[in-house]
Amino acid sequence: AQSVTQLDSHVSVSEGTPVLLRCNYSSSYSPSLFWYVQHPNKGLQLLLKYTSAATLVKGINGFEAEFKKSETSFHLTKPSAHMSDAAEYFCVVSGGGNKLVFGAGTILRVKS
Amino acid sequence: AAGVIQSPRHLIKEKRETATLKCYPIPRHDTVYWYQQGPGQDPQFLISFYEKMQSDKGSIPDRFSAQQFSDYHSELNMSSLELGDSALYFCASSLKADQETQYFGPGTRLLVL
C-alpha cells in the first residue's frame, strides 16, 4: 500500500528565510506525488505534482519539490518565506485506483 | 477559472438526522471524489464516481451513500448522523484521463450536535 510520512508536524520560519517541509513516501511502484496547501478554513489547493517526467518539480507561489528515489523523499522547499505562506501543507501519494492518500500534514508558521 | 462548488458550506444537524451534501465538479470533469477530514486529521478518501458509476470505495460508513448524476454533479447522503460524523467534507473532481490530478472544492463543514 502507498503511504506518506511527513516528518514534522509544525515548522516555524522567519519571513524571508528558506522553507523546508519534509516528506518520505512508501510505494510498491513508481508513485505520483503531490503537495497540497490548506489555508485556515479554506479548501485544498494543489501546489505541485510529480509524475516521473522530471525529478525537480516547480509549483505555484515559488514552491518546488525534488523527487529522490534513493531516499524515498519528496521534500517541499521555497527560497524565501512570505507571511501568506502560513498554512497547513499535505504531502500526498496516489494510492492506487483513483484515490489520494494524504500525510498527516505540516503546519507552517511564518514569523515577521 | 471555474472551480469545484460545494453546497452547503456549513451544516448543523442533530444526532440521528440525515444530511445531503452536494458537489458540482469543474466543467468537463467527469470524475468526482469525496473525502472526509475530521478535526485535526488528514483527509480520508470515502468514495469516487465516474460516469455515474462508483469507481472506488474507501472508508465510507454504511450509513452513507452517494451517487453521481447525468450532469456529473454528485450528492453524498448521510443518515443516522453521529457526533463523530462532524468533519469537513471535501469534494474533488478530475478528468478520467488524469485521475491523479484532483481539484478540491472549499468543503462542507458538518457539525452534528
Side-chain angles (χ1 to χ4, degrees), chain A residues 31-32 34 36 38 41-46 49-51 88 90 94 96-105, chain B residues 9 31 33 35 37 40-43 45 48 55-57 88 90 98-107 109:
Chain A
S32 292
F34 310 80
Y36 280 84
Q38 185 176 27
N41 300 311
K42 295 293 179 68
L44 292 157
Q45 182 182 20
L46 178 63
K49 67 175 181 176
Y50 165 77
T51 54
E88 187 163 17
F90 290 98
S94 178
N98 53 17
K99 66 179 180 183
L100 298 180
V101 176
F102 285 73
Chain B
R9 293 293 310 279
T31 309
Y33 315 79
Y35 291 81
Q37 184 179 27
Q41 304 292 315
D42 54 286
F45 172 75
S48 62
S55 54
D56 202 355
K57 191 173 182 180
L88 188 56
F90 286 111
D98 185 14
Q99 289 185 334
E100 294 178 332
T101 306
Q102 299 178 16
Y103 296 88
F104 284 76
R109 187 170 296 279

Side-chain angles (χ1 to χ4, degrees), chain B residues 70-100:
Chain B
S70 56
D71 63 351
Y72 297 114
H73 94 272
S74 177
E75 295 182 4
L76 178 65
N77 299 293
M78 310 160 70
S79 62
S80 302
L81 286 169
E82 301 174 357
L83 297 179
D85 296 329
S86 296
L88 188 56
Y89 291 83
F90 286 111
C91 173
S93 74
S94 75
L95 291 167
K96 173 69 171 176
D98 185 14
Q99 289 185 334
E100 294 178 332

Side-chain angles (χ1 to χ4, degrees), chain A residues 42 49 51-52 59-60 66 74 82 91-92 98 102 106:
Chain A
K42 295 293 179 68
K49 67 175 181 176
T51 54
S52 76
I60 62 172
E66 186 172 10
F74 189 58
H82 190 272
C91 182
V92 180
N98 53 17
F102 285 73
T106 298

Side-chain angles (χ1 to χ4, degrees), chain B residues 5-22:
Chain B
I5 297 172
Q6 292 187 245
S7 68
R9 293 293 310 279
H10 302 271
L11 191 58
I12 300 175
K13 291 286 185 178
E14 301 214 347
K15 283 193 305 184
R16 293 180 288 279
E17 286 190 323
T18 60
T20 297
L21 279 54
K22 297 185 179 182

Side-chain angles (χ1 to χ4, degrees), chain A residues 49-85:
Chain A
K49 67 175 181 176
Y50 165 77
T51 54
S52 76
T55 56
L56 183 62
V57 183
K58 293 189 183 298
I60 62 172
N61 300 334
F63 284 95
E64 62 182 35
E66 186 172 10
F67 174 77
K68 291 187 177 180
K69 186 174 181 179
S70 60
E71 299 176 9
T72 61
S73 69
F74 189 58
H75 301 334
L76 181 71
T77 61
K78 182 173 181 178
S80 177
H82 190 272
M83 295 296 291
S84 61
D85 294 328

